Amino acid sequence: MKNRYSIFSLIKNAFSYHENWEKAWKDPTPKKEYDAVIVGGGGHGLATAYYLAKKHNMKNIAVVEKGWIGGGNTGRNTTIIRSNYLWDASAGLYNHALKIWEGLSQELNYNVMFSQRGVMNLAHNLQDVRDLKRRTHANRLNGIDAEYLNTEEVKKFCPIINTSPDIRYPVLGGTLQRRAGTARHDAVAWGYARGADEMGVDIIQNCEVKAIKRNGDSVEGLETTKGFIKTNKIGVVAAGHSSVIANMAGLKLPLESKPLQALVSEPVKPVIDTVVMSNAVHAYVSQSDKGELVIGAGTDDYISYSQKGSHDIVEGTLNAILELYPIFSRMRMLRQWGGIVDICPDASPIISKTSIKGLYFNCGWGTGGFKATPGSGDLFAHTIANDEPHELNAAFNINRFVSGDLVDEHGAAAVAH
Amino acid sequence: MFIINCPFCGEREQSEFKAGGEAHIERPKQPTELSDDEWAEYLFMRKNIKGIQFERWNHIHGCRKWFNMVRDTSNDEIKAIYKMGEKPPVK
C-alpha cells in the first residue's frame, strides 16, 4: 500500500528535505507471461491498465511503452476537456469521461488539476450559428450542459475577444459548456501510473514492441526490445503508431497519421480564464496556471510520423488568434511542438475487438483524445476483460467501416476536436 | 515543411500542394460485384506506413495537376517524384 499524498505527508517529508518520497511507480523487468499486455503508456493506456486492475481484478498485467510514460500525445495536447458532441454515441462516450474527470483527483489521490473553467465555441457565420444552436439542443437532450450565447454574452464571458462587426470573421455568437475545462496532462499519466502500479501492474518503459506473435487467429505474445512476453490478450493504445502495430499483426486500420501542432507563449498575468475555440478560423486558446497561452494549431494534410509540422499551419492559427485577440499582438511564442495523431475517416475513435482473437485496438482519437482519457480507459478495460464492448463503446467498433454505420463527427464536433 | 519539385512547375513550397493520400489504390473494376468488406478495404483501410510510402499529391495552388511521390514518412524526406500513369520507381 502506497503512502497517501496529503498535507501530513507533505509536512512529514519536509523534515527530510523531500528526498525520501516513495517512488510513484517501480521500474520492473518484464515477467515471462501476463494475463494481458497494454501497448502504449500514454494516458489512455495507463488508464486502461488501472481500470483492468481495479474494476476487473486483472492484476497480472503490464503496460509496455517504447519511450517514457506520458511522453507522446499525452504530453503534447492542449489539455482541453469537454463533452459537447453532436451525436448520441459521441455524447455518451465523452460525457462518461467527463463524469469520471469530476472525481478523478480524489479517486487517484493525485491532483490532476482538473479545472472546470468552461469551454466556449465561437460562431463566425450564419451556418455556424445554426450548427451550434442545433448542437446545443442535441447536447441538452443528452443531458449535457450547454448554453447558446449571443455576441454580447460572448464578450461578457471573455472580454478580450474582439467582437467588432468589422473583422474578417466577426463573432456572431457561441456555445458554452460550463462543466468543460482543462486538466494537467502529465499528472493524468502519472496519477494513473501510480494507481496502477499500486495494484500490481508492471509499467515497463523503454520497451518497444517489435512483433506480434500469432497462432492462427489468436495472439500468443509480443516480441519486444526487452525480450518475448507471452500473453493472450493485447490491448493496443498506440495513438499515431497504431497502424504500425496493426501491420505487425497483419491488420489494416482505417487510419491516417498526421502531425498536429501546438504552441505556448511566454508567461503573462491572468488574461483569459476560460477556453475559447473557433472552428471556422481554427484557433483555440487557454491559459495555463504558469501563465502561458496554450494555443492549438491544425493538422498538416499529409501523412507523417516526424512529430514536426509545417510553419504555414502555425502561421494560419496565429493570424486567427491575432484577429480575435488584438491584445496578444506583441506576445512572443516560447515553444512549439508536434504530435502524431491517428485520424479515422469519420473523426471518431475505435475502441474495439478485431478479427484476431485477443487483439484489441483503442485508436483513432485523432486530434481530440485527451478529454476522453478516463472514459476511454474504463471502456477499453471493459472490452478487454469481457471480450465484449460496453454499451457506451459498442458504436465505436472497427466493423462500422464495413457496415457503414459511421459516427460522423468531422463537421459536427464543436471544432476540429 | 519541405520543398516539392513539381514535375510540371519545378521546386515550390509544400504549402502550395495538397496531399492526396496513399497512391496506387485501384478503383474497383466491377463495383456492383464488391462485398461490403471489399468496399471497406477500398474506401477506408490504409497502409499508413511509417517509412517509405507511395502517395499522391496535387499542386493545388499552382498547375493543379496530380502526380505521385515516394516519401519517407518518418522524416519527410522525398525519395522520388513521378507523373501519374508512370510506373513507380523500384526501391
Side-chain angles (χ1 to χ4, degrees):
Chain A
M1 185 68 189
K2 278 195 182 17
N3 294 322
R4 283 182 66 77
Y5 291 152
S6 67
I7 182 75
F8 304 108
S9 69
L10 196 63
I11 293 166
K12 189 180 142 213
N13 279 279
F15 287 112
S16 52
Y17 302 99
H18 296 293
E19 284 172 356
N20 296 321
W21 282 98
E22 187 187 12
K23 277 203 170 139
W25 54 87
K26 297 178 287 290
D27 186 20
T29 47
K31 291 188 221 164
K32 293 245 175 328
E33 187 174 355
Y34 289 99
D35 295 338
V37 175
I38 305 301
V39 179
H44 289 241
L46 293 163
T48 305
Y50 175 84
Y51 292 113
L52 272 174
K54 189 178 179 193
K55 292 174 86 168
H56 306 282
N57 206 30
M58 288 178 70
K59 307 256 161 101
N60 181 32
I61 61 174
V63 178
V64 294
E65 163 58 46
K66 75 170 172 176
W68 62 96
I69 60 165
N73 293 350
T74 300
R76 291 164 193 268
N77 62 77
T78 50
T79 79
I80 297 168
I81 295 162
R82 60 184 180 85
S83 66
N84 53 353
Y85 280 70
L86 177 69
W87 300 112
D88 294 351
S90 315
L93 179 67
Y94 291 102
N95 212 39
H96 178 61
L98 183 55
K99 283 182 199 154
I100 304 177
W101 277 114
E102 287 174 329
L104 193 61
S105 292
Q106 287 74 20
E107 183 185 340
L108 294 177
N109 177 229
Y110 204 103
N111 187 3
V112 299
M113 294 162 77
F114 179 51
S115 158
Q116 291 177 298
R117 60 184 69 182
V119 170
M120 194 158 65
N121 296 97
L122 301 179
H124 297 278
N125 55 51
L126 292 175
Q127 188 58 44
D128 279 357
V129 171
R130 285 187 287 267
D131 286 347
L132 292 190
K133 281 185 175 167
R134 178 190 178 202
R135 185 166 53 70
T136 303
H137 295 312
N139 288 161
R140 285 179 171 172
L141 286 172
N142 277 317
I144 294 167
D145 72 304
E147 292 164 47
Y148 187 82
L149 308 180
N150 62 29
T151 308
E152 290 73 44
E153 289 164 331
V154 167
K155 182 78 178 170
K156 203 172 159 212
F157 190 70
C158 183
I160 62 168
I161 294 182
N162 180 6
T163 51
S164 158
D166 299 331
I167 63 174
R168 177 69 182 83
Y169 300 102
V171 177
L172 300 186
T175 63
L176 174 62
Q177 184 180 19
R178 292 185 192 269
R179 279 169 66 220
T182 59
R184 171 85 199 279
H185 48 7
D186 300 317
V188 178
W190 298 336
Y192 273 121
R194 178 169 171 263
D197 181 90
E198 185 176 357
M199 290 183 285
V201 176
D202 279 353
I203 295 163
I204 304 158
Q205 304 183 74
N206 298 310
C207 180
E208 186 177 352
V209 172
K210 291 292 186 189
I212 289 176
K213 195 172 174 219
R214 280 174 61 175
N215 179 13
D217 273 344
S218 50
V219 294
E220 278 196 326
L222 294 157
E223 203 61 68
T224 75
T225 48
K226 292 194 174 181
F228 182 73
I229 302 173
K230 192 165 182 261
T231 184
N232 50 27
K233 282 188 186 237
I234 300 171
V236 183
V237 205
H241 282 69
S242 298
S243 297
V244 176
I245 307 282
N247 290 342
M248 291 176 190
L251 275 184
K252 251 162 120 183
L253 295 172
L255 296 175
E256 287 191 320
S257 295
K258 297 174 176 180
L260 174 66
Q261 296 178 84
L263 54 162
V264 295
S265 72
E266 58 190 335
V268 291
K269 287 186 175 176
V271 64
I272 178 167
D273 62 356
T274 184
V275 182
V276 185
M277 312 178 78
S278 170
N279 196 8
V281 297
H282 207 291
Y284 49 101
V285 62
S286 63
Q287 192 171 14
S288 73
D289 292 351
K290 279 189 284 184
E292 302 158 326
L293 295 178
V294 182
I295 296 170
T299 52
D300 279 292
D301 70 342
Y302 54 86
I303 292 170
S304 177
Y305 290 80
S306 65
Q307 287 191 328
K308 55 189 180 200
S310 302
H311 180 68
D312 55 296
I313 301 282
V314 170
E315 199 175 17
T317 291
L318 289 178
N319 283 343
I321 293 275
L322 289 189
E323 173 124 321
L324 278 176
Y325 312 93
I327 193 177
F328 296 151
S329 65
R330 286 195 287 171
M331 292 276 284
R332 284 167 297 186
M333 291 300 138
L334 203 62
R335 290 179 289 129
Q336 167 274 346
W337 64 92
I340 302 305
V341 297
D342 45 328
I343 302 173
C344 264
D346 60 355
S348 285
I350 295 167
I351 312 171
S352 178
K353 305 200 301 185
T354 63
S355 54
I356 299 164
K357 193 171 162 19
L359 185 63
Y360 307 86
F361 270 88
N362 183 352
C363 59
W365 289 96
T367 56
F370 176 72
K371 65 174 83 68
T373 305
S376 156
D378 183 32
L379 300 172
F380 195 43
H382 180 101
T383 308
I384 294 172
N386 299 303
D387 199 37
E388 278 302 325
H390 187 279
E391 60 174 358
L392 286 173
N393 68 309
F396 298 96
N397 66 73
I398 202 166
N399 205 45
R400 72 178 188 267
F401 297 96
V402 177
S403 68
D405 193 9
L406 303 179
V407 187
D408 183 11
E409 287 285 356
H410 246 308
V415 68
H417 290 276
Chain B
M1 182 182 260
F2 39 88
I3 303 286
I4 295 174
N5 191 2
C6 171
F8 308 99
C9 310
E11 288 190 345
R12 300 292 176 87
E13 283 186 9
Q14 170 263 320
S15 56
E16 288 190 14
F17 296 81
K18 170 100 184 128
E22 192 178 321
H24 307 297
I25 297 174
E26 205 175 325
R27 194 179 170 79
K29 290 205 170 61
Q30 301 276 349
T32 51
E33 306 293 308
L34 249 50
S35 69
D36 288 353
D37 280 313
E38 288 165 327
W39 267 121
E41 179 74 19
Y42 169 68
L43 283 175
F44 298 127
M45 300 302 165
R46 295 291 178 262
K47 289 180 193 152
N48 196 22
I49 288 168
K50 182 181 187 178
I52 303 293
Q53 169 166 276
F54 293 77
E55 57 191 14
R56 302 176 303 170
W57 284 78
N58 187 347
H59 193 183
I60 197 161
H61 298 299
C63 62
R64 300 183 62 87
K65 285 188 179 127
W66 284 92
F67 58 92
N68 290 313
M69 184 189 291
V70 187
R71 187 171 55 97
D72 187 338
T73 60
S74 63
N75 58 13
D76 295 335
E77 206 175 284
I78 299 169
K79 303 289 184 190
I81 286 174
Y82 54 103
K83 290 180 182 170
M84 283 289 166
E86 288 180 1
K87 283 235 178 316
V90 188
K91 267 185 251 178

